[in-house]
Amino acid sequence: MKHTSLLKRVLLASTFVSMLVSLYLVFVWVPVERQMGPVQKIFYFHVPSAWVAFFAFFVVFAASLMFLKTRLELYDIIAGCSAQVGVVFTAIVLITGPIWGRASWGTWWTWDPRLTTTLILWFIYLAYLIIRNSAKGHVRNLRLAAVFGIIGFIDVPIVFMAVRWWRTIHPVVFEANNIGLPPSMLTTLMVCLLTFTLLYFVLLLKSMKIEQVERKLQNLISEALKAY
């Protein structure tokens, strides 16, 4: 327990420091982009949010597989909590994207393949959470939610590859042989990616702790009702 508590404190401290560094790099150090101006700085929140969403849904995919294989409650909790975090960060992507797009494309929304598949991804895992929350601890229903979480992950590579498979106005930052960013912007982006990844783990652990407490409380209430 002491080692676990220490690791959590280190994670929190690392996230806090990394967040301060990221904010300094974004708003002070990195130069303002010439064409778009200050609004381009949304990029440093938009891209890391997308990365965390993808990673969170991969965790849902992996944990759901493990739950179906082992039936261990822990894997269901990990999958559900990771999905919650993923849905939040996908919402951030869908909010920051149109703000950035308004300055870049002159419109808040367009049914671009990348945007459309991202919106579908958000709805998929929102539905997953609804299914899982309606399971109410029944193993059969939790298995159904796990299957849905696994199938839903199919949309993640589709979102990522959308700008390469279809004609789209969404920019491609990372090419196979080229990174379309100057060194200062790339450095800032990498630090922000690290910060958002650390934040994901902080939120995941907090969410898992809350759900574990809720389940213990529900079990105590059930046992109390049975006693009567």
Side-chain angles (χ1 to χ4, degrees):
M1 292 294 293
K2 290 183 178 180
H3 293 294
T4 303
S5 179
L6 178 61
L7 287 174
K8 288 181 179 180
R9 290 179 182 179
V10 171
L11 177 61
L12 283 171
S14 301
T15 304
F16 179 73
V17 172
S18 182
M19 194 172 295
L20 290 178
V21 173
S22 296
L23 291 173
Y24 172 79
L25 292 177
V26 171
F27 294 108
V28 179
W29 184 70
V30 72
V32 176
E33 205 271 336
R34 292 181 180 178
Q35 295 182 348
M36 295 184 61
V39 73
Q40 184 271 339
K41 292 182 182 290
I42 293 175
F43 167 78
Y44 303 109
F45 301 94
H46 179 75
V47 174
S49 294
W51 150 250
V52 169
F54 290 166
F55 182 68
F57 296 142
F58 171 76
V59 172
V60 176
F61 170 81
S64 296
L65 283 174
M66 292 302 299
F67 175 71
L68 292 177
K69 182 179 179 180
T70 66
R71 300 293 193 272
L72 290 177
E73 184 183 64
L74 176 62
Y75 290 116
D76 171 62
I77 293 175
I78 292 173
C81 293
S82 187
Q84 292 175 22
V85 178
V87 166
V88 170
F89 277 95
T90 306
I92 294 173
V93 172
L94 292 170
I95 293 171
T96 56
I99 296 173
W100 187 12
R102 182 68 176 83
S104 179
W105 307 330
T107 181
W108 292 103
W109 182 266
T110 177
W111 293 103
D112 175 87
R114 170 64 68 81
L115 274 66
T116 304
T117 52
T118 302
L119 181 62
I120 292 172
L121 183 68
W122 186 75
F123 277 119
I124 286 173
Y125 281 95
L126 193 63
Y128 163 82
L129 290 176
I130 293 172
I131 294 172
R132 183 176 175 274
N133 290 336
S134 65
K136 296 181 180 179
H138 297 294
V139 176
R140 183 178 179 181
N141 294 338
L142 289 176
R143 290 202 300 266
L144 174 62
V147 171
F148 196 88
I150 293 168
I151 296 174
F153 184 72
I154 295 173
D155 192 41
V156 170
I158 294 176
V159 174
F160 181 77
M161 295 301 295
V163 293
R164 296 166 176 81
W165 288 346
W166 298 292
R167 294 182 62 183
T168 172
I169 60 175
H170 197 283
V172 180
V173 178
F174 299 102
E175 293 284 4
N177 300 317
N178 180 45
I179 299 177
L181 291 174
S184 60
M185 290 185 176
L186 180 60
T187 299
T188 303
L189 177 61
M190 291 298 105
V191 174
C192 289
L193 286 171
L194 172 63
T195 300
F196 275 61
T197 303
L198 291 173
L199 181 60
Y200 162 78
F201 284 108
V202 170
L203 295 175
L204 177 65
L205 291 175
K206 292 293 183 182
S207 182
M208 287 177 61
K209 183 65 176 178
I210 292 171
E211 179 151 348
Q212 287 170 338
V213 171
E214 287 178 347
R215 292 198 179 196
K216 288 181 180 179
L217 182 60
Q218 289 175 357
N219 291 336
L220 290 173
I221 293 173
S222 298
E223 291 175 2
L225 291 175
K226 289 178 181 179
Y228 283 102

